[in-house]
């Protein structure tokens, strides 16, 4: 058994009594109340999920296993000659809660290499789809097509016990994570680079290999590492993470859950906002003839968008009440590597003008930029101008966190999810109407 799995097993066994004690002895302790507004309004703020993989503070932003983004970027081991940590080290952190040593990361890099072969039928299926199919549809279908590979299903059918179910789930999760970058890169090269597929490199780590298969030179390997780490998890309530967890709670295998997770991520209010940001900026650029707008000119574009009833993509958040630290991390990357890029300058003007406008409009609870406001700029700069593809990159990253969560859900014996609904008449009665 690889060391990481041994370690995970120890961690799981040590953790279980905490969950059991909470449920058995303190199960009736209240952690909040639910209002009618929350029941109808997307359950905003309802505390009804438990995870230790990450926690989102409204003002500080995300912590992965207790570490902020700057701490993760500083403490996780880095690939030789790279500014950014190995993605594999971040997987190790999310799974075990520990910052890995250099040797532990290398072991995981090797583990993923062994599992990265994508079955040919996945590519055959992608090739049979119309080429103008959205990349997220292709990505979701490719993941779902691999469902027949599930180790969990085989062991479930053979009668595995509940407390052992995390083990085949781990196997499925690792098999899937190892393959996702190759599937993403295949979709990209097939759709947008004249079907010139670049096979995986036998020696490279996940970020390095992804850049290689995309056909983009350094420092795109670091862009990939940064991107996959930043997008990995945002606690459990967001649409993609919650969808993955919900599907898995029925003991559906991770191929079903991650395919569903991708479908949720494909909504413009969620992950697809990163493509919408670039689409929006391109619209402004066309109208400006490529010239960087002044703040006054940009304000008019923003108000036009709001007055036409649309949202300004890349701004606002259901939980955050400050600038997203994932935005900041990418902004710092831009300031270092592409300070003079015209699209970065657009994004910078937006950073200045949008928050006061959203405040003046008085609807959005959070006027500040989220992760999606900055991410497309970097991709565009390194040659990925086909913005339809951006959410696939988000999806590869998000799979890391959601799969870690699902392994732990199984390890801690979380049951099938099933909240209760009420009718409008019942709500009216409760309200005393
Ligand atoms: N532009 C215009 N209006 C906005 C924006 C925005 N960026 N953000 C929120 N609002 C509106 C929102 O549509 C709602 O209007 P109404 O009452 O007419 O329905 C009102 O402000 C209150 O919404 P909030 O409670 O502030 O936000 P909520 O929690 O419902 O939604 C988002 C959060 C992220 C869906 C929302 O801010 C939004 O639509 N942002 C733009 C899309 C985006 O960037 N999504 C990506 C989020 C991050 N991710 O990757 O998932
Ligand atoms: C995410 O990363 O999932 C988004 O920021 C949305 C969220 O957390 O609600």
């Amino acid at each position: 058994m690889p060391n990481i799995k041994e370690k995970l097993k120890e961690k799981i066994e040590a953790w279980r009594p905490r969950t059991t004690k909470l449920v058995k002895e303190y199960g009736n302790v209240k952690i909040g109340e639910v209002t009618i507004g929350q029941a109808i309004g997307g359950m905003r703020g309802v505390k009804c999920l438990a995870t230790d993989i990450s926690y989102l503070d409204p003002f500080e932003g995300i912590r992965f296993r207790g570490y902020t983004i700057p701490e993760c970027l500083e403490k996780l081991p880095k690939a030789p000659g790279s500014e950014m940590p190995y993605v594999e080290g971040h997987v190790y952190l999310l799974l075990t809660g520990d910052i890995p040593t250099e040797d532990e990361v290398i072991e995981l890099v090797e583990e993923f290499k062994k599992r990265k072969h994508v079955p040919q039928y996945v590519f055959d299926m992608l090739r049979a789809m119309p080429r103008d199919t959205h990349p997220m549809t292709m990505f979701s279908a490719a993941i779902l097509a691999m469902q027949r590979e599930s180790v969990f299903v085989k062991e479930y059918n053979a009668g595995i016990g509940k407390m052992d179910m995390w083990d085949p789930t781990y196997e499925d999760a690792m098999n899937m994570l190892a393959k996702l970058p190759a599937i993403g890169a295949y979709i990209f090269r097939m759709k947008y680079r004249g079907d010139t597929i670049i096979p995986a490199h036998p020696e490279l780590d996940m970020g390095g290999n992804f850049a290689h298969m995309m056909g983009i030179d350094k420092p795109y390997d670091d862009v990939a590492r940064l991107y996959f780490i930043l997008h990995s998890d945002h606690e459990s309530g967001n649409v993609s993470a919650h969808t993955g967890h919900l599907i898995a709670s029925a003991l559906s295998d991770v191929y079903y859950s991650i395919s569903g997770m991708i479908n949720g991520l494909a909504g413009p209010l969620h992950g697809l906002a990163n493509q919408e940001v670039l689409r929006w900026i391109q619209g402004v650029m066309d109208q400006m003839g490529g010239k960087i707008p002044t703040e006054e000119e940009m304000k008019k574009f923003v108000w036009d968008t709001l007055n036409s009833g649309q949202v300004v993509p890349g701004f606002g958040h259901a939980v955050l009440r400050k600038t997203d630290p994932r935005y900041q991390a990418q902004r710092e990357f831009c300031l270092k590597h592409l300070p003079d890029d015209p699209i970065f300058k657009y994004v910078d003007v937006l950073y200045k003008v949008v928050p006061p406008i959203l405040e003046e409009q008085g609807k959005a609870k959070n006027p500040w930029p989220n992760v999606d406001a900055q991410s497309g700029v970097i991709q565009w700069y390194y040659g990925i101008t086909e913005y339809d593809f951006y959410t696939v990159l988000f999806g590869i990253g998000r799979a890391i966190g959601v799969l870690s969560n699902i392994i732990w859900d199984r390890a801690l014996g979380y049951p099938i999810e099933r909240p209760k609904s009420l009718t409008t008449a019942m709500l009216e009665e409760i309200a005393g109407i």
Side-chain angles (χ1 to χ4, degrees), residues 56 234 237-240 270 317-319 324 326 370-371 394 398:
L56 181 62
H234 221 223
N238 63 76
V239 168
S240 51
H270 192 20
H317 202 273
V319 177
D324 192 334
R326 300 171 298 176
N370 61 57
V371 64
F394 194 151
R398 183 50 53 95

Side-chain angles (χ1 to χ4, degrees), residues 321-397:
R321 293 295 176 260
K322 62 158 255 183
T323 298
D324 192 334
R326 300 171 298 176
Y327 175 95
Q328 292 288 15
Q330 294 183 95
R331 184 178 148 78
E332 277 159 33
F333 186 94
C334 291
L335 285 169
K336 181 162 179 196
H337 293 276
L338 44 135
D340 300 322
D341 177 65
I343 303 184
F344 177 54
K345 289 194 187 303
Y346 267 71
V347 169
D348 228 24
V349 180
L350 282 171
Y351 192 19
K352 292 195 186 99
V353 305
V354 175
I357 292 179
L358 288 179
E359 272 172 346
E360 188 183 331
Q361 193 207 28
K363 278 170 70 176
K365 294 190 189 67
N366 178 43
W368 302 105
N370 61 57
V371 64
D372 296 318
Q374 191 68 254
S375 51
V377 181
I378 304 181
Q379 300 300 330
W380 186 283
Y381 182 79
Y382 289 104
I384 307 179
T385 52
E386 298 82 359
Y387 45 71
D388 279 12
F389 185 71
Y390 296 167
T391 318
V392 172
L393 302 167
F394 194 151
I396 298 172

